[in-house]
Amino acid sequence: MGLQDICLDRPILDSGVQSSQPVVKHSIAQKQLKGEDVVFTHEDVSLPDGDGSLWNVFCVCDGHSGVEAAQFVEQRLWDVLSVKLPKTAPPSQKNDESARWGKSIQKAVTETFIELEREFGQQLNGSGTTVTLLLVCGWVCTLANVGDSDAVVDTISEIDMINVCHRLEDNTSEQNRFRAAGEELSRLTAQLSGPFGGEEGGLGPLRCWPGGLAVSRSIGDSNAGETVVPIPHIRQFFIPSHGLRMILASDGLWDVLKYTHAAMLIRRNSVCSCADKLLTCAVYQNGWAFGDDTSVIVVEVTPSDGDSFEEVARKVRKQKRKVTALRRAFSCAFPTEVEPVEGLAKEKISMFADVDGMDVMNDLGQKADSGHCGRLPAQGSDMELFQRRLAEVKEASPEEVSLNAGRKNDLRRLSQDSDEVLLSQATA
C-alpha cells in the first residue's frame, strides 16, 4: 500500500446534497449591566398553512436608550414574519428555484423589519435596537441584520463574519449614504455633550446627528432622523454537508474577542457549553470585568446521521496530523507534495444571495403602506425622493461590501497573517 492509499484511507465525510433534515442545537449566555440586551429563539416551528417545514429562529437585539425597542422586537417579530415567509420547503441546491425561494424570504424579512419600525414608532418611545436575525430552514440559512451585533460562521475550513456591520466608523458605503443625504457625521466633543463638528477630531466612534447614533441602521430611534433606517442587509447560503457553527453576539463580546479567536476557542466543546465559555473568555480578556451588556447565541447545524461539529473538528485535526507526519517521513522518496485527505470538511458555505434590503424595498416601489409611522418615507413624492437618493448613493459608491465588511480596528479583527497562523494551529 503506497503513501497515497494511506492518505485516502477512510474519508471522514460524504459530499453531496443532504436528503434528511439537519439537527439544530444552540446555547445562550448573557451578562447584563444596563439590562438592554434581548435574545430569543423559536425552535422547530412550522408556518400557518405551510407544508410542515420546520423553521429555527435565533435573534440578538442590543438595545440603547432603553430596552423597550428590543423587547418589542422579541414580542412581535415572529408573529409578523411567520405569515410572510414562503410556505414550501427550501430547495436542495442553487438554481432558479432557490433564487425565487430566497427572494420571497428577502421580501418577507425586509417588510417585517419595516413593519416593526412602524408599529414601534406609534409608541413615541426614543429607544432603539440592533437586530441580528438567523433563520434556519432545512439546509438553508438566512442572516439579516441592522446595526453592529455581528454574526460569525465556522465551517472548519473557514471562519468569517457573515453579516454586514452598520457601524458608521467602519462602513464607508453607509458614510457615503449619509453624506449624500446631507446628514452630519461627527464624533463627540471632549465634554461628551454633542457633535464635535466635522469628521476629523473629537472623541469616540463616528456618529450621525441628530441623535448621536454610532450605527446607521436600527429599529426604533425615532429621534435619529430619516436617514437611520430599519432596512436589513440579507445574506443566504446553503449549509455544508458536514454542518457548521455560528456565533451571534452583541458588541459586548466583539469589543474584547476577535471573531476568529472566538470561533476557535469553542471548536472542541459541545455546543451546549459554547456560549458560556465565550462569555467566560470575554470577561477574562477584559480583566475579569464586563464593560457592556454581552449576549451570545451559538448555533450548531449538523446532519442527523453524522458527527457533531466538535467530533468532525477532532477528526480533521487527527487526519491533518497524520498527513503532516507522512509528508515529513516520505519527503525524500516523494518530493512532490501529497494531496490533502479527501472529505476533510473542506466544504464552505454556498452563498446564493447577498442583498441590501434597500434594493428589495426599491423593487417594491409604491407597494409601501401609506399608513406609515417612523422614519421611512411614505408613498408619493417622499418615496420618489428616497429612491432617487438611494440611486445617487449607489452611483457614488459602487464598491461592493465584502464578506468581512464592518470591523477594521485591531480590537475586532486579526490580521490576515495572524488568522492563517491561528487557523492552522486550530486544525493541526
Side-chain angles (χ1 to χ4, degrees), residues 42 47-48 72-85 87 107-117 119:
H42 298 280
L47 301 178
F72 181 82
V73 171
E74 178 184 17
Q75 295 164 7
R76 291 288 294 142
L77 185 141
W78 182 243
D79 289 340
V80 176
L81 178 61
S82 60
V83 297
K84 300 178 183 292
L85 289 170
K87 310 300 183 183
K107 178 176 179 289
V109 170
T110 302
E111 289 180 343
T112 295
F113 276 50
I114 292 172
E115 187 168 333
L116 293 177
E117 167 71 18
E119 289 184 10

Side-chain angles (χ1 to χ4, degrees), residues 24-28 38-44 55-61 77-78 131-137 141-144 246 248 297-301:
V24 183
K25 300 178 181 179
H26 75 281
S27 59
I28 296 175
V38 171
V39 298
F40 62 92
T41 67
H42 298 280
E43 303 171 59
D44 294 330
W55 293 75
N56 286 273
V57 183
F58 306 93
C59 192
V60 173
C61 300
L77 185 141
W78 182 243
V131 180
T132 298
L133 171 68
L134 173 65
L135 304 175
V136 181
C137 185
C141 284
T142 299
L143 193 286
M246 291 190 67
L248 284 66
I297 304 178
V298 179
V299 180
E300 178 177 292
V301 186

